[in-house]
Amino acid sequence: MTDMAESITNRNDAWREELRSRHSTKQRTSLPRVKMPEVDPAYRVTCVDEVNQGLSVEQAVLESRRCLDCPDPGCMKGCPVANNIPGFIKNIERRNFAEALRVINETSVLPAVCGRVCPQEKQCEASCIYNKMKKQPVAIGHLERFVADFSRESERQKTLAGELVKEDTPQLAPQPLAIKIAVIGSGPSGLAFAGDMAKRGYKVTVFEALHTFGGVLKYGIPEFCLPNEIVDYEIERLKSLGIEFVKDCFVGKTFSYEELQSAGFKGIYIATGAGKPRFMCVPGENLPGVMTANEYLIRLNLLDSQAYAKNPTSLAGKRVAVIGGGNTAIDAVRFALRMGAEKAMIVYRRSEAEMPARLEEIRHAREEGVEFITLSNPVEYLADENGFLSTMRLQKMELGEPDSTGRRSPVEIPGALEDVPVDLVVVSVGSLPNPPTSLPDLEMTRQGGIVVDNSSMKSSSPAIYAGGDIVRGPATVILAMGDGRRAAKAMAEAFEQRLQSLQL
């Protein structure tokens, strides 16, 4: 990862010092945080167009001026992949957008994705010095998205004009041996690992079980939050590094671990995610009309795909309830409105203040007409005379003492039950790791995750590393990417040490 001392040295470059001198701290801190333009709620529920519209050049430059270029940048400490945040922001301020992208690319292979879906308010922006001043932090996520989008749009315009020249394409570093590395899973963790290994000169192949690349970025996040074209573009950038992508390939079934070894792969990174559904064991959970968030989002996100054909479940005019309060739950309930649901409800056992979803997502959902039923938990699903779901029975709750996470635990209010009519229930209370098949000697957790050394992401099996949700359970895109970067660094160092010992 980027060395903090190096970023501070860059801070002392002449152009950075001159840039800081242009405006006083008082002038910079008096600027209000930029507001991202958004599509009007009344229109956006009719389509899957992206809600956030991105910053203009002038908005981005003005927001970048708010950054104080701190000598000890807390934002970097709050970033799981240690992006050189002041470095790229100050390049925006001087309007050198190509250099800003180069700085981001040193540590991130998915800037357009992270700028859209990372919970910056809990990570980099949470560590911004503006919070100590009781002011809104610098809009780091908006600025990262701006840099990636500006670069992509510039490239598109050059392509249309027939003038495209690939600029700043990372070159493969020379290696004494062409070492083949296999990545199992093309989600954010696998992509981050693959990108870092390719930059180090390794021959990387990414194997994906589905017919499309991107993992949860494609099947788990709706296009109104993260357009598919953004994910596809980022994957094409990775292909330019020499990474090979193989789809419709389930390692362990399509071919075995032994066959990977026979094909010459010397290292394996497992990033198969956490797509195994978690159930609540509520009576009636097996009724037609109750499904997990994973199944629901795959159906809707891959609506027109060859693999799933036309989604057989129409939501037009239906009453849809999503159980849970995370980002996936909010995505699911907002999707229901866009698919014609008459009523879309979030059912959450704690209060809205305890919801783990991003505040922006919650705000968007409320603007779009989502009903929030908080301090409630389903205890039974009831069927109509034809055997289809018709009602959810909710137990009303109150908040008790904090649990191990620090959030106040929900406690049942005796006898407080409510029946709510519903046509479809989507259960979004987490998921379990997708355990690998036929990979030997792996120490596993009881839930099916892979046990690794947290500093290197190395498993108990020789030459096998793992990261992302298969290790930590359902988590954020950026945490999964951080695992991938950590594993790439550790695996590369292990190979290089072995090569050095052979040469001695």
Side-chain angles (χ1 to χ4, degrees):
M1 294 187 183
T2 296
D3 185 82
M4 187 72 76
E6 182 183 345
S7 73
I8 294 172
T9 300
N10 293 340
R11 181 181 182 273
N12 296 328
D13 288 348
W15 70 267
R16 291 269 285 266
E17 293 182 346
E18 191 276 329
L19 200 64
R20 286 195 296 274
S21 70
R22 292 183 189 176
H23 306 279
S24 68
T25 297
K26 183 177 181 180
Q27 288 173 323
R28 293 179 185 275
T29 57
S30 67
L31 293 171
R33 176 179 163 122
V34 69
K35 181 173 174 57
M36 173 83 77
E38 299 174 354
V39 175
D40 180 76
Y43 171 74
R44 69 194 191 213
V45 296
T46 67
C47 61
V48 292
D49 291 357
E50 188 173 12
V51 172
N52 288 331
Q53 295 295 288
L55 302 181
S56 68
V57 169
E58 296 309 317
Q59 284 179 312
V61 171
L62 188 61
E63 181 64 20
S64 67
R65 193 182 301 164
R66 296 181 70 227
C67 174
L68 301 180
D69 203 5
C70 302
D72 184 23
C75 55
M76 287 185 64
K77 298 174 183 176
C79 176
V81 297
N83 279 337
N84 184 350
I85 293 168
F88 88 76
I89 289 179
K90 291 297 102 177
N91 274 295
I92 296 175
E93 185 176 350
R94 66 169 178 164
R95 297 175 181 263
N96 191 338
F97 307 134
E99 181 64 12
L101 181 64
R102 189 198 65 77
V103 172
I104 296 174
N105 283 342
E106 289 177 350
T107 49
S108 177
V109 299
L110 302 171
V113 171
C114 292
R116 285 169 163 82
V117 302
C118 282
Q120 290 94 5
E121 71 273 12
K122 297 178 182 178
Q123 294 175 161
C124 55
E125 293 182 14
S127 301
C128 177
I129 195 170
Y130 272 81
N131 294 300
K132 296 180 180 180
M133 306 178 203
K134 307 300 181 183
K135 294 176 179 285
Q136 287 189 301
V138 174
I140 298 169
H142 292 356
L143 293 175
E144 182 178 17
R145 168 183 168 156
F146 166 78
V147 170
D149 286 359
F150 184 89
S151 174
R152 187 180 65 258
E153 180 59 21
S154 296
E155 185 175 305
R156 188 181 75 85
Q157 293 295 338
K158 289 178 181 178
T159 300
L160 291 174
E163 300 171 357
L164 179 61
V165 176
K166 289 289 184 180
E167 299 174 357
D168 299 324
T169 300
Q171 299 299 311
L172 298 181
Q175 288 288 325
L177 294 174
I179 300 176
K180 293 174 65 177
I181 306 296
V183 182
I184 305 175
S186 67
S189 191
L191 296 177
F193 173 87
D196 275 20
M197 290 300 282
K199 289 175 183 178
R200 288 178 164 91
Y202 293 85
K203 299 183 68 174
V204 182
T205 302
V206 177
F207 297 96
E208 170 56 54
L210 292 178
H211 67 291
T212 185
F213 301 114
V216 69
L217 303 177
K218 276 286 187 71
Y219 68 74
I221 303 178
E223 288 210 75
F224 54 82
C225 295
L226 178 63
N228 285 338
E229 66 173 332
I230 301 297
V231 182
D232 292 338
Y233 177 84
E234 299 284 41
I235 289 173
E236 287 301 316
R237 291 177 67 237
L238 288 170
K239 288 180 180 179
S240 73
L241 295 172
I243 300 171
E244 181 182 0
F245 285 80
V246 179
K247 62 183 179 180
D248 299 315
C249 182
F250 194 132
V251 174
K253 291 187 176 180
T254 307
F255 49 77
S256 66
Y257 168 76
E258 290 75 19
E259 287 173 311
L260 275 181
Q261 285 186 314
S262 299
F265 290 98
K266 304 299 183 184
I268 296 175
Y269 183 66
I270 302 175
T272 48
K276 186 177 178 181
R278 183 192 293 273
F279 296 98
M280 298 177 66
C281 299
V282 173
E285 202 168 37
N286 61 342
L287 285 174
V290 180
M291 65 175 65
T292 65
N294 195 46
E295 177 188 2
Y296 168 86
L297 287 171
I298 285 178
R299 285 191 183 193
L300 295 186
N301 282 323
L302 303 180
L303 185 67
D304 296 319
S305 70
Q306 294 180 353
Y308 294 94
K310 186 70 176 175
N311 179 14
T313 304
S314 171
L315 301 185
K318 292 190 175 181
R319 299 159 296 184
V320 179
V322 179
I323 315 300
N327 290 322
T328 300
I330 300 296
D331 286 347
V333 76
R334 294 174 66 201
F335 218 152
L337 287 173
R338 286 159 171 78
M339 298 302 292
E342 176 184 299
K343 188 175 185 179
M345 300 165 277
I346 279 283
V347 178
Y348 185 56
R349 61 182 185 151
R350 291 183 169 92
S351 72
E352 187 175 323
E354 279 78 34
M355 278 189 177
R358 297 180 65 192
L359 295 177
E360 180 183 70
E361 292 263 321
I362 294 172
R363 175 175 63 82
H364 283 167
R366 192 173 294 284
E367 290 172 351
E368 291 164 8
V370 170
E371 179 182 345
F372 285 75
I373 304 176
T374 56
L375 291 170
S376 300
N377 204 40
V379 291
E380 186 176 5
Y381 300 118
L382 306 174
D384 61 16
E385 64 277 10
N386 297 315
F388 290 93
L389 174 72
S390 65
T391 306
M392 59 179 177
R393 179 159 293 163
L394 301 180
Q395 168 68 60
K396 306 307 287 184
M397 317 289 283
E398 60 184 357
L399 293 179
E401 296 301 315
D403 62 14
S404 59
T405 68
R407 291 188 297 169
R408 294 174 64 189
S409 298
V411 179
E412 292 184 3
I413 301 175
L417 295 171
E418 179 185 8
D419 286 354
V420 177
V422 68
D423 300 301
L424 175 67
V425 164
V426 178
V427 181
S428 180
V429 294
S431 53
L432 298 171
N434 290 327
T437 305
S438 80
L439 294 177
D441 305 324
L442 283 180
E443 182 182 353
M444 310 289 290
T445 67
R446 188 174 59 183
Q447 291 78 24
I450 298 175
V451 175
V452 299
D453 172 77
N454 288 332
S455 61
S456 67
M457 310 309 292
K458 188 179 185 306
S459 76
S460 57
S461 184
I464 294 182
Y465 293 65
D469 293 357
I470 186 63
V471 169
R472 61 173 69 243
T476 63
V477 167
I478 195 67
L479 287 173
M481 291 176 63
D483 289 348
R485 297 207 67 224
R486 208 158 41 248
K489 182 176 184 292
M491 183 185 287
E493 287 177 350
F495 278 121
E496 286 155 15
Q497 288 172 4
R498 191 178 308 170
L499 290 169
Q500 287 176 0
S501 65
L502 291 173
Q503 292 169 357
L504 294 177

